[in-house]
Structures are given as structure tokens and as C-alpha cells.
């Protein structure tokens, strides 16, 4: 299923989950390379989490947008810890295949956020969730440790580049912003990945090999 929006283009909304289908990024040879699914609220978020998995481990990591009414894919499923309870409730018979993992900000994103807060004289950061992802909530404990004050914006609050705080937005919010806001120095997309330690424990349990 694809979504077409003027000024944004065409992007995949939902991918098929039938077993014969091989998604982009999955293992070309299923007999030799392990395969897993990375699930998040949006396909964009899942793809952003899947890319580092496949880059570090010899496993085909395919992205899938989570839908509670859709049948679960076969094989191991990696997902943000914030999505774990809802996914387990929707797919209770797949508990052994679900691997909820904590999230951390990408190193490059964290460095740019710190630099922009200092250079622009921002009063901390304000996170815009977009009503679809709990991932940024996992990051609240990290930013204060490096001296960045965090406030969570109401999901209906507009992104205000003239406000006192730097606006950090999820991928879902970023895709809907006009280009003027996407180019504004006080508006930044959030980037995060699975925490390396928990991901390594899952990889070893699944007997993945490092690249």
C-alpha cells in the first residue's frame, strides 16, 4: 500500500506480510543468512531502526509498519520497548519471537542537537511526537545527562521555530512539515537506534555473526 502526497511524493505505507514475499533488505539467500523483522509505528521509523541492524550483524533486517489487526510476520521481530506491551497484546502467540529493545539517540543527532542548542541560544529542546510513537519518551533520561533540558510538546501543538526551545520532531511529523520549516535551523528531525548492548544480547541469542 502506497501513499501519494503532493510535494512529498510516493512512499510505502504498509508492506505485505505473506511468507512468499521477500522485502528489500531481507536476506537474498534464506538458507544461509538469518532474517528478522524490525517493527515500528511507521515504515520510515522501522526502516531507520533496521538499517543499523543489518550494517552491524549478518542478518537480513526488513522494515514493517506495525498494525495491531495485521497478521504478524514469521521469524524474530525486533521493536522499540515502548511498543512491546501493545504488540504482545496483539500477537500473544508470538511472545517468543518478540524482542523489545531500548532506544538511544544516534551519536550524530546528539552532537548536532547539543551544538545547535548552544549556537542558537535555545532554552533546551521540545519534542513533537506526532501522536504515533513512544520512542522519544525513551530518550528523556538521556538528554538531561548531557545538559539538555527536555519538554514534551502536546501532540496537537504546532512546530514553532520562533519559540524559546529547539524543536525536535519525529519522522512522522517531519514528513508533514512544509519545506520552510524543514530548512529552519531551529527545527530538527529526531534520529535514534536500538541500544547497542541489548541489541548485541539479542543477536547472540539468535546466533547472528558480526560483520
Amino acid at each position: 500500500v502506497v501513499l501519494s502526497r503532493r510535494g512529498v511524493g510516493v512512499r510505502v505505507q504498509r508492506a505485505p506480510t505473506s511468507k512468499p514475499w521477500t522485502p528489500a533488505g531481507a536476506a537474498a539467500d534464506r538458507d544461509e543468512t538469518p532474517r528478522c523483522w524490525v517493527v515500528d509505528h511507521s515504515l520510515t521509523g522501522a526502516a531507520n531502526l533496521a538499517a543499523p541492524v543489518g550494517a552491524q550483524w549478518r542478518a537480513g533486517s526488513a522494515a514493517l509498519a506495525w498494525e495491531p489487526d495485521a497478521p504478524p510476520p514469521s521469524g524474530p521481530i525486533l521493536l522499540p520497548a515502548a511498543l512491546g506491551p501493545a504488540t504482545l497484546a496483539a500477537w500473544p502467540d508470538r511472545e517468543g519471537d518478540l524482542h523489545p529493545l531500548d532506544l538511544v539517540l544516534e551519536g550524530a543527532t546528539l552532537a548536532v542537537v547539543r551544538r545547535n542548542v548552544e549556537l542558537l541560544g535555545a532554552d533546551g529542546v521540545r519534542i513533537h511526537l506526532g501522536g504515533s510513537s513512544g520512542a522519544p519518551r525513551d530518550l528523556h533520561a538521556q538528554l538531561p545527562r548531557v545538559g539538555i533540558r527536555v519538554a514534551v510538546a502536546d501532540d496537537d501543538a504546532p512546530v514553532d521555530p520562533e519559540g524559546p526551545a529547539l524543536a525536535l520532531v519525529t519522522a512522522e511529523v517531519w514528513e508533514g512539515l512544509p519545506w520552510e520549516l524543514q530548512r529552519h535551523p531551529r527545527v530538527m528531525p529526531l534520529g535514534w537506534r536500538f541500544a547497542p548492548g541489548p541489541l548485541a544480547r539479542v543477536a547472540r541469542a539468535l546466533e547472528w555473526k558480526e560483520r
Side-chain angles (χ1 to χ4, degrees):
V1 178
V2 298
L3 173 68
S4 177
R5 294 178 56 187
R6 180 178 299 175
V8 177
V10 179
R11 64 187 180 90
V12 177
Q13 274 289 91
R14 179 162 50 87
T17 57
S18 59
K19 291 183 179 180
W21 179 70
T22 301
D29 186 347
R30 297 183 185 180
D31 295 331
E32 297 181 3
T33 305
R35 172 182 171 181
C36 75
W37 291 87
V38 178
V39 176
D40 198 6
H41 284 280
S42 71
L43 190 61
T44 300
N48 290 340
L49 290 172
V53 175
Q56 181 181 0
W57 302 94
R58 295 186 182 277
S61 54
L64 181 68
W66 181 78
E67 294 185 14
D69 297 329
S74 59
I77 302 172
L78 278 57
L79 67 160
L83 192 55
T87 305
L88 180 59
W91 302 336
D93 58 332
R94 298 297 303 283
E95 181 176 5
D97 290 326
L98 298 180
H99 302 281
L101 298 167
D102 292 331
L103 302 177
V104 295
L105 270 177
E106 293 176 347
T109 300
L110 181 59
V112 173
V113 169
R114 294 183 63 178
R115 184 190 65 191
N116 283 11
V117 167
E118 295 174 1
L119 292 180
L120 300 175
D123 182 19
V125 298
R126 182 169 289 274
I127 300 176
H128 294 262
L129 306 179
S132 60
S133 177
R137 293 187 175 91
D138 296 340
L139 308 175
H140 288 176
Q142 300 171 37
L143 291 175
R145 293 173 187 163
V146 294
I148 300 176
R149 193 175 68 84
V150 181
V152 181
D154 185 277
D155 286 343
D156 296 326
V159 176
D160 181 13
E162 306 303 326
L166 190 71
L168 303 183
V169 302
T170 61
E172 294 87 348
V173 175
W174 179 262
E175 291 171 358
L177 292 179
W179 69 269
E180 294 90 348
L181 288 181
Q182 291 184 347
R183 293 173 58 121
H184 201 286
R186 296 179 70 94
V187 180
M188 291 182 56
L190 272 171
W192 54 79
R193 60 189 176 91
F194 289 126
L199 176 59
R201 286 191 288 273
V202 169
R204 286 192 288 268
L206 296 174
E207 298 183 345
W208 293 351
K209 295 180 180 179
E210 287 194 72
R211 291 193 182 278

